[in-house]
Amino acid sequence: MSTLEIRGLRAAVNGTEILRGIDLTVSSGEVHAIMGPNGAGKSTLSAVVMGKPGYEVLAGSVTLDGVDVLALPTWERAAAGLHLVMQYPTEVPGVMLDDVLGEALTTRGRSTDGLDALLRSEAASIGFEERFLDRPLNVDLSGGEKKRNETLQLAVLQPKIAILDELDSGLDIDALRDCSRRVEAMSNDPDSPLGVLAITHYSRLLTELRCDHVHILVKGRIVTSGGPELADVLETDGYAAFVPAEELAEPAAEKAPVRPGSLDDLFAM
Amino acid sequence: MNDTVTIDAWRDVTLPTPDEEIWRYSRITDLDLSAYEPVPHAPNVDGDGQLPQGVTIGGVTVDLFGEAPDVFALLNRTFAAQVHVRVPAGTVVEAPIVITHTVPGSGALVAPRLVVEAGRDSQVTVVERFVSDGDGRALVLPVVQIRADAAARVQYLAVNELSDAAWSIGHQQAEGDRDSSTLLATVTLGGDYARVRTEARLVGPGGSTRQVALYFAGGDQMHDFRTIQDHAAPYTSSDLLFKGAVQDRSRSVYTGLIRIRENAKGTVAYQTNRNLTLSDGAWAESVPNLDIQTNDVKCSHASTVGPIDEDQRFYLESRGVRPEVAERLVVLGFFDEVLSQLPASDITAAVRASVAAKLNIGADHAAGAEVAS
């Protein structure tokens, strides 16, 4: 059993406070959905938990099984069992998937024996074409292929807790079903059930990936938490039921640190 | 520049200065000709004891283009150690012709000269390797001249793995006629100061050139590239990709010019130069230029100088890859785009290994070291 605990987390980007006190607990086998309008701080939450450069933690704590995650560099957070499925996976020219996963397994003290066979069987199970295994990371892959690639890595690395940052964006219905089913299966694994924090705009992700808890994030705070039925309310009524209309109308506050030519701005959507 | 430099008076030549644009940023003022002495030089051509067909070593110095671009090309004429490759029309030479220059140290001056004449509809690949012997202190003045006749396909690769005590100032000139295609590839890892100036000229409609380079400087090395993509005929195309990295206190310079002459309508020309600066003390300069004298052309250039991409590093680290290993993977991956275009695959593998061995970042985690620990 593993538990990710986020307590009173406040964080800023470029001096602007985006997360204004987040409390959240995710344990093995649980699926939590975080939903919220644009600019609510959803992607900032995933970036801060994983340690993406450019985000400043103002207060609060994040622990994984009692270990202070915020004190660790990104690679150690991953090795400790946290995993981030990115909204817009970065293209890394010339760097091969099997090399990266080989290094990632080595960091964790795990053997790379059978990695090739594992890659092939996992790829087949989510409809990721084998020929893409020999491509440099994410280079020349479509949106759906990139998300299949992300899901493939998740399945091979077998983390304790996975943060899915808009897994459902940029992929077609087939890819969405393949990816969300695979995550659902991991969360139901009898030996080591995956804990999932799924950030999403839409409830369509949650048809195959069955969530236990839904949290509504607005302007850097969780305003409501509940069961899966919350997602249905959102689907019919929108966010208006959870937040005053005038607040929704305000311009998006969330801004990632942007470097010219990078995809960081998209990451922050 | 078309004077003759005599053997007796070669040290009296006037050296260029950084005031000339083409020598800007260079280390030319550090060059002391009195430290060098011409020595006999015998290029080695692979061929199981006999020379490949059409290859001549020595003989009367051939000059395909007349005008020498500068004094070092003149010196090359004076001291030329020539390899002449002639491929008759319609002939395809299957195996790459591999020439190795083992350059002695102790202040040796050598002037390797390679002339390639590819007849109509012929095909040839020539690889030239430069390595050092002894203490490595040498001045190497290589010249390459390539003429691709109509529809000829020529691939050329130069690999500089000279000692970091050696100086090298080289010229590459290529001229492509109608529908010819020429690949000019350069790998530079060696040299204290290593410079290559390349002029790729297209003189027949439908001709194309592709230029790629990988350069990686460390220690106090400096690598220096000047390129001209010269379009002197309509419907010609050129594409250039130069990728370099600098670590420690090393430096690199790239300046490139796309020249599209008045008669070269319908031309397509691309130029890309990307540089990684891997240490605070390292420095890279990139200066792209365009000189377009006609309309109806498609032309673009891109140039970047900077550290390892932060997003790429974060992506790998978020999988649990150690930072130094992540950086190592990103740097080696950066060069892969060039390596994958080199014409001789066995040499490519050796170059990839040399680059990996030279890279400081994550060296403790490199294959081999890991097995030993």
Side-chain angles (χ1 to χ4, degrees):
Chain A
M1 258 318 251
S2 284
T3 301
L4 175 72
E5 276 201 64
I6 301 172
R7 288 286 165 264
L9 184 63
R10 292 172 52 215
V13 177
N14 296 335
T16 304
E17 187 171 344
I18 306 295
L19 300 182
R20 303 193 292 171
I22 302 280
D23 292 286
L24 201 57
T25 303
V26 181
S27 294
S28 298
E30 296 176 356
V31 177
H32 293 248
I34 293 199
M35 307 182 76
N38 275 335
K42 301 191 300 295
S43 283
T44 297
L45 177 61
S46 70
V48 169
V49 172
M50 210 62 209
K52 189 175 168 69
Y55 294 79
E56 188 192 353
V57 175
L58 304 173
S61 67
V62 180
T63 58
L64 179 63
D65 299 332
V67 174
D68 180 4
V69 164
L70 297 179
L72 301 176
T74 293
W75 70 274
E76 286 188 32
R77 299 183 194 194
L82 276 179
H83 188 89
L84 173 61
V85 169
M86 291 194 189
Q87 182 180 7
Y88 293 102
T90 311
E91 295 189 8
V92 194
V95 177
M96 298 300 163
L97 178 64
D98 58 346
D99 287 340
V100 170
L101 291 181
E103 292 291 352
L105 291 173
T106 303
T107 308
R108 292 161 172 82
R110 283 163 55 188
S111 167
T112 55
D113 292 346
L115 174 59
D116 190 59
L118 180 59
L119 277 173
R120 271 158 224 292
S121 69
E122 283 292 348
S125 77
I126 56 167
F128 188 66
E129 290 182 49
E130 266 198 30
R131 63 194 172 98
F132 295 146
L133 293 174
D134 301 320
R135 290 260 180 98
L137 273 179
N138 297 314
V139 175
D140 295 330
L141 295 186
S142 71
E145 287 157 355
K146 284 180 181 168
K147 293 304 175 73
R148 283 192 166 103
N149 190 356
E150 289 288 283
T151 306
L152 172 71
Q153 294 177 43
L154 175 69
V156 169
L157 293 176
Q158 296 180 325
K160 295 168 180 163
I161 306 288
I163 303 167
L164 316 180
D165 190 6
E166 309 222 6
L167 176 65
D168 51 344
S169 74
L171 80 182
D172 56 67
I173 290 294
D174 289 340
L176 176 63
R177 188 196 57 232
D178 291 339
C179 292
S180 51
R181 273 186 188 170
R182 187 67 191 91
V183 177
E184 171 71 16
M186 291 180 74
S187 77
N188 293 331
D189 187 306
D191 299 325
S192 55
L194 178 70
V196 178
L197 187 57
I199 290 166
T200 181
H201 270 299
Y202 310 106
S203 58
R204 65 174 191 153
L205 173 68
L206 308 175
T207 52
E208 296 284 352
L209 177 61
R210 286 186 287 281
C211 65
D212 311 294
H213 306 275
V214 173
H215 310 276
I216 311 289
L217 184 68
V218 177
K219 298 187 77 174
R221 286 198 188 91
I222 291 173
V223 292
T224 308
S225 294
E229 70 284 352
L230 257 184
D232 301 330
V233 176
L234 270 186
E235 193 70 358
T236 47
D237 300 346
Y239 291 106
F242 305 100
V243 56
E246 63 272 18
E247 284 201 19
L248 268 181
E250 275 182 33
E254 188 176 11
K255 273 219 168 61
V258 175
R259 291 182 302 112
S262 79
L263 284 172
D264 278 4
D265 48 342
L266 296 172
F267 186 90
M269 288 294 282
Chain B
M1 192 168 290
N2 215 1
D3 307 333
T4 302
V5 178
T6 63
I7 289 178
D8 300 328
W10 72 274
R11 279 204 189 87
D12 300 337
V13 296
T14 306
L15 292 178
T17 72
D19 296 337
E20 299 168 52
E21 180 60 30
I22 196 107
W23 291 95
R24 199 174 160 209
Y25 307 114
S26 79
R27 253 203 225 162
I28 188 64
T29 49
D30 294 352
L31 178 60
D32 175 12
L33 289 180
S34 70
Y36 302 100
E37 190 65 47
V39 298
H41 172 61
N44 178 273
V45 181
D46 273 11
D48 300 326
Q50 58 183 36
L51 286 180
Q53 209 179 353
V55 176
T56 318
I57 297 181
V60 177
T61 300
V62 177
D63 199 324
L64 297 180
F65 304 120
E67 189 94 342
D70 64 29
V71 68
F72 299 103
L74 286 178
L75 284 167
N76 178 283
R77 270 191 213 160
T78 304
F79 299 112
Q82 178 175 277
V83 176
H84 194 181
V85 178
R86 268 167 297 193
V87 187
T91 304
V92 172
V93 181
E94 293 286 355
I97 296 168
V98 180
I99 304 160
T100 302
H101 301 284
T102 304
V103 178
S106 311
L109 184 158
V110 297
R113 184 178 189 88
L114 169 66
V115 179
V116 179
E117 292 180 87
R120 285 179 81 85
D121 194 30
S122 68
Q123 182 174 317
V124 66
T125 298
V126 183
V127 177
E128 218 176 3
R129 297 174 57 227
F130 299 86
V131 295
S132 289
D133 206 0
D135 66 6
R137 205 168 53 76
L139 176 60
V140 189
L141 303 175
V143 162
V144 180
Q145 295 191 337
I146 296 171
R147 175 177 287 148
D149 283 350
R153 286 89 61 201
V154 179
Q155 296 187 314
Y156 170 72
L157 167 63
V159 181
N160 172 340
E161 293 198 80
L162 290 167
S163 150
D164 57 13
W167 268 53
S168 178
I169 300 176
H171 276 104
Q172 302 173 348
Q173 291 170 285
E175 191 170 274
D177 211 329
R178 176 183 288 268
D179 299 327
S180 64
S181 64
T182 305
L183 170 69
L184 300 172
T186 299
V187 171
T188 300
L189 301 174
D192 173 27
Y193 175 71
R195 171 183 166 103
V196 182
R197 174 173 167 180
T198 306
E199 284 146 52
R201 192 161 50 244
L202 289 161
V203 297
S208 70
T209 59
R210 179 154 187 78
Q211 291 169 257
V212 296
L214 177 166
Y215 50 99
F216 183 16
D220 294 302
Q221 289 182 296
M222 179 169 190
H223 292 160
D224 179 339
F225 297 91
R226 317 285 162 147
T227 68
I228 300 178
Q229 295 156 262
D230 188 355
H231 294 259
Y235 305 108
T236 48
S237 63
S238 67
D239 195 355
L240 179 147
L241 175 68
F242 273 45
K243 295 184 103 170
V246 283
Q247 67 183 10
D248 306 322
R249 301 156 305 278
S250 65
R251 304 179 143 232
S252 74
V253 172
Y254 169 82
T255 73
L257 173 67
I258 295 176
R259 174 179 292 146
I260 300 181
R261 295 176 191 258
E262 260 178 89
N263 63 337
K265 63 171 181 165
T267 283
V268 179
Y270 302 111
Q271 182 193 84
T272 303
N273 175 229
R274 304 209 180 277
N275 298 280
L276 284 179
T277 46
L278 302 176
S279 313
D280 289 339
W283 176 91
E285 181 68 54
S286 179
V287 187
N289 284 296
L290 297 175
D291 173 10
I292 301 175
Q293 298 164 13
T294 185
N295 296 321
D296 184 26
V297 300
K298 204 187 276 183
C299 215
S300 76
H301 59 189
S303 114
T304 53
V305 177
I308 291 171
D309 185 274
E310 200 175 78
D311 289 341
Q312 294 181 5
R313 184 172 50 199
F314 176 69
Y315 185 77
L316 298 190
E317 287 180 24
S318 76
R319 315 288 107 164
V321 177
R322 289 166 189 272
E324 62 275 20
V325 176
E327 293 190 351
R328 192 175 176 82
L329 287 170
V330 170
V331 174
L332 297 177
F334 167 82
F335 284 129
D336 205 66
E337 196 182 358
V338 173
L339 288 168
S340 64
Q341 297 184 54
L342 299 184
S345 58
D346 50 341
I347 288 172
T348 303
V351 169
R352 185 179 274 117
S354 297
V355 170
K358 184 168 184 171
L359 183 60
N360 292 340
I361 299 168
D364 300 342
H365 297 274
E370 209 160 78
V371 174
S373 66

